[in-house]
Amino acid sequence: RKEVEQDPGPFNVPEGATVAFNCTYSNSASQSFFWYRQDCRKEPKLLMSVYSSGNEDGRFTAQLNRASQYISLLIRDSKLSDSATYLCVGLTDSWGKLQFGAGTQVVVTP
Amino acid sequence: DGGITQSPKYLFRKEGQNVTLSCEQNLNHDAMYWYRQDPGQGLRLIYYSQIVNDFQKGDIAEGYSVSREKKESFPLTVTSAQKNPTAFYLCASSISPGANYGYTFGSGTRLTVV
């Protein structure tokens, strides 16, 4: 079983709509989590860190549920530029090893 | 501006050939990492280095080698022992191992075996 699992999608979202998706993790010792955004054939870029209390950055909201071992990302008022693959990432040990999910593809349509 | 520079952007390798991918950062980060990405898969860790002159194998180190002689540089050599090297290679750094700030990635090198 992979340590971080994501629904690959694609999630097809009309412009202006809200989309939400989760990722699950198997290592209960995972300390921190992140969402990265990756555009086609580009490097991943850090979107936001995920805190236990949940956090919001503009139209993006991330939540962590340690009891059920999942992380969620919600995008409100979707823009065409939000089309990308979103990578769920967990920090699993003290030296900084990150476990990457395979990504969830989001396609925002006009 | 600070960042990570990977070169070349595209690289073609013949069977049996060793090739070296460059990764340089001017962020003053202690930790550096090499990942490989294949279509439909998550990033997989090849090697990592927490400090100069030290590096450790990741999950898929076979057929690869690295060096960390300078803080700024972490080159990756793909040897002829790597049987399926065609992939997107990403170098990353973090301010320190275990930092809760995530990684900064370079723009990647696409390696193709011809």
Side-chain angles (χ1 to χ4, degrees):
Chain A
R1 182 184 175 186
K2 294 180 181 177
E3 288 204 32
V4 178
E5 297 209 52
Q6 297 184 249
D7 181 341
F11 284 67
N12 294 297
V13 187
E15 192 174 8
T18 295
V19 61
F21 43 90
N22 297 337
C23 88
T24 58
Y25 63 94
S26 60
N27 187 347
S28 59
S30 295
Q31 301 163 18
S32 304
F33 299 90
F34 308 91
W35 283 104
Y36 277 75
R37 171 199 170 116
Q38 187 174 26
D39 293 297
C40 187
R41 301 179 71 82
K42 300 280 187 156
E43 76 274 21
K45 293 187 178 177
L46 182 63
L47 180 66
M48 58 197 308
S49 302
V50 185
Y51 305 127
S52 295
S53 58
N55 53 306
E56 189 172 312
D57 183 1
R59 298 180 294 106
F60 297 83
T61 299
Q63 295 278 354
L64 168 61
N65 185 317
R66 287 199 182 273
S68 301
Q69 296 188 201
Y70 74 84
I71 307 102
S72 65
L73 181 67
L74 181 145
I75 307 173
R76 285 184 299 278
D77 186 22
S78 298
K79 312 292 184 190
L80 295 176
S81 58
D82 294 334
S83 296
T85 297
Y86 292 85
L87 307 179
C88 177
V89 187
L91 177 65
T92 59
D93 60 37
S94 60
W95 68 259
K97 181 178 179 179
L98 296 185
Q99 288 288 348
F100 286 80
T104 295
Q105 186 184 7
V106 172
V107 179
V108 182
T109 56
Chain B
D1 286 340
I4 300 181
T5 301
Q6 287 188 244
S7 62
K9 192 173 180 70
Y10 299 96
L11 186 58
F12 297 91
R13 193 195 92 167
K14 294 181 180 179
E15 295 282 351
Q17 197 177 43
N18 292 356
V19 291
T20 298
L21 283 58
S22 170
C23 177
E24 304 277 333
Q25 54 100 357
N26 60 3
L27 299 164
N28 200 32
H29 284 178
D30 285 320
M32 296 187 74
Y33 314 85
W34 274 105
Y35 281 87
R36 167 183 173 141
Q37 188 175 35
D38 294 279
Q41 296 191 39
L43 277 67
R44 293 183 291 166
L45 182 65
I46 304 172
Y47 268 97
Y48 64 96
S49 170
Q50 297 176 270
I51 199 167
V52 176
N53 292 321
D54 181 66
F55 51 82
Q56 305 294 330
K57 292 181 179 180
D59 300 320
I60 54 165
E62 185 174 351
Y64 300 98
S65 66
V66 294
S67 63
R68 186 87 187 275
E69 297 175 1
K70 299 186 299 182
K71 187 175 185 177
E72 303 80 18
S73 179
F74 192 40
L76 174 74
T77 296
V78 184
T79 74
S80 56
Q82 171 47 239
K83 298 306 178 190
N84 186 22
T86 295
F88 186 38
Y89 289 86
L90 288 157
C91 179
S93 69
S94 63
I95 193 166
S96 64
N100 285 330
Y101 311 114
Y103 295 175
T104 300
F105 282 90
S107 57
T109 293
R110 291 198 177 273
L111 174 63
T112 304
V113 174
V114 296

